Amino acid sequence: MNNIPKLPLGNWIESLESWLENHFTPLFDFIRLIIGSIVDFLHNVLLFSPSILMILIITALAWFLGKWKVAAFALIGLLLIDNLGYWEHAMETLAIVLTASLLSIIIGVPTGILCARSSFLQGIITPLLDLMQTMPAFVYLLPAVSFFSLGVVPGVIASIIFAVPPTIRLTNLGIRQVPSELVEAADAFGSTPNQKLFKLQLPMALPTMMAGINQTIMLSLSMVVISSMIGAQGLGADVYRAVTQTKTGIGFEAGISIVVLAILLDRMSNHIVKKNKR
């Protein structure tokens, strides 16, 4: 076995990376502009009003989506973040997570629909999803930095790659699980493919799709600290600085703030799923 020459896989990957940099730089600049603009817009919206007013708005939204327990947790948790002095950084993190989740949904739902319509395409996409979910998240940071430089944009790109598979998988699964009798009935009544998709398959698959979107949101949030290593700001940067400087107290405060956001996003998205199931 020692006499078998090593495959130059690393060299091939670096050559591909250089080729993409040389030929698609305008595309990467355009993507960086779009993603940066979305993050900045959401960040400005979240910080437009005083923190107490935004806390009340989010609490009211939690009350509408969930129960009083979710609203009470939102109020107490967000007041704690504000009291600890991490409100602005928490809103930066929330803007990054919302951007990554939104773009993951925009990419994932149509891809899942295409996979549900074509078993051949599903056979091609599924191994790619396996690769995206099992590859160490740190590996995504290297090409993201090469193509998009340092900052928030490569962090969002890495989060999308890491978080989009659940949306694709569960959109595909939800549509394929629609009872065949209903699909046959729709065909018998002369429904077009688009009518069948939007009036039957997607409404029936929506609870499963929302479960995938919930996982995507959680995975996007889990990339916060990793993304901070390449310049993404927010609570992840606070945790990363605390680790490098051995500041246990600061790290715990920033970590608690991330936990509050994670639980709040999880509970609110779960209640959306429950409403859709009803």
Side-chain angles (χ1 to χ4, degrees):
M1 293 295 292
N2 293 332
N3 295 326
I4 298 177
K6 175 186 174 182
L7 285 174
L9 181 60
N11 294 332
W12 294 344
I13 296 297
E14 291 179 359
S15 298
L16 175 61
E17 180 184 9
S18 299
W19 184 82
L20 290 173
E21 284 186 58
N22 293 331
H23 292 83
F24 291 94
T25 298
L27 175 62
F28 296 142
D29 291 339
F30 177 74
I31 294 174
R32 181 165 59 242
L33 175 64
I34 295 298
I35 294 178
S37 299
I38 295 174
V39 173
D40 290 341
F41 173 76
L42 292 175
H43 186 208
N44 292 333
V45 168
L46 292 171
L47 292 177
F48 177 74
S49 59
S51 58
I52 186 62
L53 178 59
M54 184 56 64
I55 290 173
L56 294 176
I57 292 173
I58 297 175
T59 300
L61 181 61
W63 184 290
F64 173 75
L65 292 177
K67 299 180 180 179
W68 68 268
K69 294 180 180 179
V70 181
F73 177 82
L75 180 62
I76 295 172
L78 294 176
L79 286 174
L80 175 63
I81 292 175
D82 190 29
N83 176 262
L84 294 175
Y86 291 98
W87 178 257
E88 183 173 349
H89 291 182
M91 293 303 100
E92 290 178 1
T93 296
L94 187 57
I96 295 172
V97 171
L98 291 177
T99 301
S101 302
L102 175 63
L103 294 176
S104 295
I105 293 168
I106 292 173
I107 296 170
V109 171
T111 305
I113 292 172
L114 292 176
C115 288
R117 287 187 168 185
S118 171
S119 296
F120 174 76
L121 182 61
Q122 176 184 325
I124 296 175
I125 295 294
T126 299
L128 295 177
L129 298 180
D130 295 337
L131 176 66
M132 293 163 66
Q133 288 188 293
T134 54
M135 182 73 72
F138 290 94
V139 177
Y140 300 137
L141 302 182
L142 300 174
V145 171
S146 298
F147 297 145
F148 302 101
S149 186
L150 295 174
V152 67
V153 174
V156 172
I157 295 293
S159 298
I160 292 172
I161 297 173
F162 186 68
V164 74
T167 297
I168 298 175
R169 289 184 187 277
L170 291 180
T171 298
N172 175 33
L173 178 64
I175 294 176
R176 287 180 177 272
Q177 285 182 336
V178 174
S180 58
E181 295 83 0
L182 295 178
V183 177
E184 292 171 358
D187 291 332
F189 281 104
S191 299
T192 65
N194 286 336
Q195 288 175 331
K196 185 168 60 178
L197 175 65
F198 288 104
K199 295 184 177 181
L200 172 63
Q201 292 173 317
L202 287 182
M204 293 287 292
L206 193 57
T208 304
M209 293 169 58
M210 289 302 302
I213 291 172
N214 172 264
Q215 292 183 30
T216 290
I217 294 172
M218 293 297 100
L219 289 174
S220 298
L221 189 56
S222 71
M223 285 290 290
V224 165
V225 177
I226 297 176
S227 299
S228 68
M229 297 179 181
I230 54 174
Q233 298 302 308
L235 295 172
D238 293 317
V239 173
Y240 182 63
R241 281 193 294 268
V243 171
T244 56
Q245 300 172 11
T246 323
K247 300 288 187 180
T248 306
I250 295 175
F252 186 81
E253 290 177 350
I256 284 293
S257 300
I258 293 175
V259 169
V260 169
L261 289 181
I263 294 176
L264 188 57
L265 289 172
D266 178 66
R267 297 298 185 271
M268 293 173 69
S269 57
N270 274 332
H271 278 85
I272 293 176
V273 174
K274 292 178 181 178
K275 285 179 179 291
N276 286 320
K277 285 183 178 180
R278 289 198 294 266

